[in-house]
Amino acid sequence: MSELHIKNRVLIYAPYGKDATLVANALHSADVLCEHCSGLPSLLKAMEEGAGALVTVEEALNLEWFDALFTFITHQPDWSDFPILVLTKPGSNPHWVQHAYDVLGNLTLLERPIRVPILMSAVRSALRGRQRQYQICEAYQHKDEFLAMLAHELRNPLAPIGAAAQLLSLRPQDATIVLKTSQTIARQVRHLSHLIDDLLDMARLTRNLVAFASEQVDMRNAASEAVEQLESAMQAKQHRLNLCLPIRPVWVKGDPNRLVQVIANLLNNAVKYTLTGGSIEVILAVEKDSVVLEVSDDGMGIEPDLAPYIFDLFTQAKRTPDRTQGGLGLGLALVKLIANAHGGSVHLCSEGLGQGSTFTLRLPCLPADEVMQESVACREPIPKVPTQRILVVDDNQDAADMLCTVLREFGHEVVVAYDASAALDIARRLKPQVSLLDIGLPDMDGMALANSLRELPETATSLLIAVTGYGHAEDMRKSLAAGFDAHLVKPLDMDELQKLLNRS
């Protein structure tokens, strides 16, 4: 018997009379799986293995049985509330009922003679409740697997960052070592940022907190940009890429960044699960009213049992329990959520392990009469940022000092404060043109500090930039309401910061 059937079966324990036969016949006629337990040992064993519910009779509730059942109930896990249905004598008011409710919890009394529809209604209700309990159990298991996976994935980039820091302390004058270690640190920080972005994306998308842009997007450009993002990864594994794009534009309505993310996630999945020297193909086409994009590979393929769940959260943990492929198992789940939000869908086809995979993304095609002509704007080069007086405020001294060092390398005059009171003193004396404020300060939070700086004549018109680990739209709204001019999320994108400094 499969584990699923074991969890859904109804146990019957009625050692006296014909009740067991009558209940079993009724359940069988309704296609409900049941198992008759002839004795207390077999009943306890069956309950330990798992079951959907227990149907028993009042006459069986002797002291030995009750004690054994009490032991089972008190030792069941937190998620479990095992349903017990007891057939009672007609018109009886058994003295044990109140005590049984207190001890056994999920107890239902059914007075005999019981009609089959009433019995079946009670049994099906118990099974529905039990199924929800098993779903909660499975969610707990997924959560535990995910937390273990998250810890593993966070330690992976921290290890080379720690080693690079140690190497820098040993060989600070070696230009080659400094360049190599700085590249390693930057690469691993980007990896950490991607992990965090995936986590935040999933949290926001599942709670419908993401506002999608609504622009006309040429899917050829989205596909090309996604390929460019994964180009170095494909080169590292010597993959052969066949990119087939139409000659004419393929328009959809949606968020260009999110659509690139969808294609990049599908392509990244192909790269991860395709062996060195393998082939990957990206084909974009129009079929009737739909834009169809296929990402195919000749990689490891997907087991038939896993295929229906491949777009569920954290499924990647089941796919590679040894974690050799890395990642949090969020990529394909994000693909499905974003595709659905754009009125589209994503589908998997795989013949099984070793047979490769094909992921098909379908999106509504933008009708030709809705396509607006785009004017091509010439991009002007970003002018060199003039020297600024900058105040950096962060209670994390390492973070503040490193940002200060980078800004000084860019030619700015920079001073650091590690708390709000010191920041206000410095602001009065030096009149900074720009202030980068951490939100989570110990003595006064960054929001209050921004208000105080706006009240000082020395900094009333200076550029105030919030620097924080929180990047929700609501966090940004609060920052602007507190007087900030901009809101940057850690780790800082220095190019974005440079553009802001141009505005001051």
Side-chain angles (χ1 to χ4, degrees):
M1 187 181 299
S2 70
E3 182 180 357
L4 179 61
H5 288 150
I6 288 175
K7 290 181 176 181
N8 287 326
R9 63 183 171 167
V10 175
L11 304 179
I12 302 172
Y13 182 64
Y16 315 110
K18 299 180 180 180
D19 291 299
T21 301
L22 295 174
V23 171
N25 290 340
L27 296 179
H28 281 308
S29 65
D31 294 325
V32 175
L33 183 65
C34 62
E35 181 177 335
H36 181 204
C37 301
S38 57
L40 184 56
S42 62
L43 172 63
L44 295 175
K45 182 176 183 296
M47 288 193 299
E48 289 291 344
E49 292 173 346
L54 167 65
V55 177
T56 187
V57 293
E58 178 183 345
E59 294 84 353
L61 299 181
N62 55 45
L63 184 60
E64 179 188 8
W65 187 94
F66 198 87
D67 287 345
L69 193 57
F70 172 73
T71 301
F72 171 80
I73 294 297
T74 53
H75 286 84
Q76 63 183 336
D78 292 340
W79 58 266
S80 178
D81 188 19
F82 187 61
I84 302 170
L85 291 74
V86 180
L87 306 184
T88 65
K89 299 174 183 178
S92 66
N93 184 19
H95 65 280
W96 52 266
V97 168
Q98 186 57 51
H99 178 60
Y101 274 121
D102 294 338
V103 172
L104 303 180
N106 194 354
L107 184 68
T108 301
L109 301 184
L110 301 171
E111 185 176 291
R112 290 175 288 188
I114 186 168
R115 296 172 56 202
V116 170
I118 295 176
L119 172 65
M120 293 312 305
S121 176
V123 167
R124 292 192 184 281
S125 177
L127 290 176
R128 283 195 298 271
R130 188 61 169 169
Q131 184 61 36
R132 286 192 291 272
Q133 294 172 31
Y134 281 122
Q135 290 171 352
I136 292 172
C137 174
E138 187 175 356
Y140 282 166
Q141 291 174 344
H142 283 175
K143 179 199 69 174
D144 292 341
E145 291 171 359
F146 173 68
L147 290 176
M149 195 191 316
L150 176 60
H152 177 93
E153 290 299 319
L154 291 177
R155 287 192 184 101
N156 274 345
L158 289 177
I161 289 174
Q166 187 174 14
L167 185 57
L168 282 174
S169 66
L170 296 173
R171 304 275 293 277
Q173 305 303 323
D174 190 323
T176 302
I177 292 295
V178 170
L179 177 61
K180 183 178 180 180
T181 53
S182 64
Q183 290 173 341
T184 297
I185 292 171
R187 189 163 52 247
Q188 297 305 320
V189 167
R190 285 195 298 272
H191 179 60
L192 277 171
S193 298
H194 291 157
L195 290 177
I196 294 169
D197 288 343
D198 276 355
L199 286 169
L200 293 176
D201 272 349
M202 184 55 63
R204 294 167 187 163
L205 285 167
T206 53
R207 296 169 59 196
N208 295 319
L209 296 179
V210 175
F212 290 95
S214 182
E215 304 175 15
Q216 64 180 40
V217 180
D218 185 351
M219 287 295 287
R220 299 179 307 167
N221 296 337
S224 298
E225 186 173 339
V227 168
E228 183 179 340
Q229 290 182 15
L230 274 296
E231 187 174 9
S232 60
M234 287 186 285
Q235 289 176 351
K237 296 184 72 174
Q238 301 174 21
H239 287 156
R240 297 180 298 276
L241 174 67
N242 181 25
L243 178 62
C244 300
L245 302 179
I247 298 176
R248 296 183 178 180
V250 179
W251 297 107
V252 299
K253 193 85 167 182
D255 188 316
N257 294 326
R258 293 296 183 177
L259 292 173
V260 171
Q261 181 183 4
V262 164
I263 303 171
N265 282 5
L266 291 175
L267 193 54
N268 182 59
N269 186 78
V271 172
K272 283 203 299 184
Y273 297 107
T274 301
L275 297 177
T276 299
S279 298
I280 297 173
E281 187 172 57
V282 179
I283 300 176
L284 179 66
V286 177
E287 296 180 3
K288 296 183 179 180
D289 297 330
S290 298
V291 173
V292 180
L293 182 133
E294 290 187 351
V295 178
S296 304
D297 62 71
D298 58 2
M300 64 179 287
I302 297 171
E303 298 178 37
D305 291 344
L306 179 59
Y309 311 104
I310 197 66
F311 297 103
D312 293 349
L313 285 175
F314 320 135
T315 300
Q316 198 264 357
K318 301 175 186 175
R319 186 174 184 179
T320 55
D322 62 352
R323 309 297 309 127
T324 55
Q325 303 298 339
L328 292 174
L330 300 180
L332 294 179
L334 285 170
V335 166
K336 181 179 178 180
L337 287 171
I338 296 172
N340 290 346
H342 284 77
S345 63
V346 62
H347 175 72
L348 161 70
C349 180
S350 177
E351 297 297 325
L353 288 178
Q355 302 299 311
S357 306
T358 297
F359 288 87
T360 303
L361 172 70
R362 290 182 177 273
L363 296 171
C365 192
L366 188 64
D369 57 355
E370 294 185 23
V371 176
M372 299 175 59
Q373 285 296 113
E374 291 186 312
S375 59
V376 180
C378 297
R379 289 188 177 182
E380 297 182 2
I382 299 175
K384 183 179 179 181
V385 181
T387 299
Q388 308 270 11
R389 288 191 309 278
I390 300 176
L391 170 62
V392 173
V393 187
D394 197 327
D395 61 313
N396 184 326
Q397 295 191 17
D398 288 340
D401 292 344
M402 288 304 299
L403 179 56
C404 174
T405 301
V406 172
L407 291 172
R408 283 173 179 163
E409 286 296 317
F410 289 158
H412 302 295
E413 299 176 20
V414 189
V415 65
V416 177
Y418 304 121
D419 57 57
S421 58
L424 290 172
D425 291 339
I426 293 171
R428 294 187 184 97
R429 288 188 288 107
L430 299 182
K431 302 179 182 178
Q433 298 162 290
V434 181
S435 295
L436 288 93
L437 312 180
D438 179 40
I439 297 298
L441 297 172
D443 53 341
M444 176 192 297
D445 69 47
M447 303 290 187
L449 177 57
N451 279 320
S452 298
L453 290 172
R454 284 288 180 233
E455 293 172 357
L456 293 178
E458 296 85 354
T459 53
T461 58
S462 63
L463 180 68
L464 299 186
I465 301 174
V467 179
T468 175
Y470 297 100
H472 289 180
E474 180 63 16
D475 299 316
M476 297 180 185
R477 187 194 64 77
K478 289 179 180 178
S479 294
L480 296 178
F484 284 103
D485 298 292
H487 182 109
L488 296 182
V489 179
K490 297 178 180 179
L492 294 185
D493 183 328
M494 298 309 298
D495 289 338
E496 186 177 359
L497 177 57
Q498 288 282 66
K499 291 176 184 178
L500 287 174
L501 295 179
N502 268 334
R503 291 166 37 190
S504 62

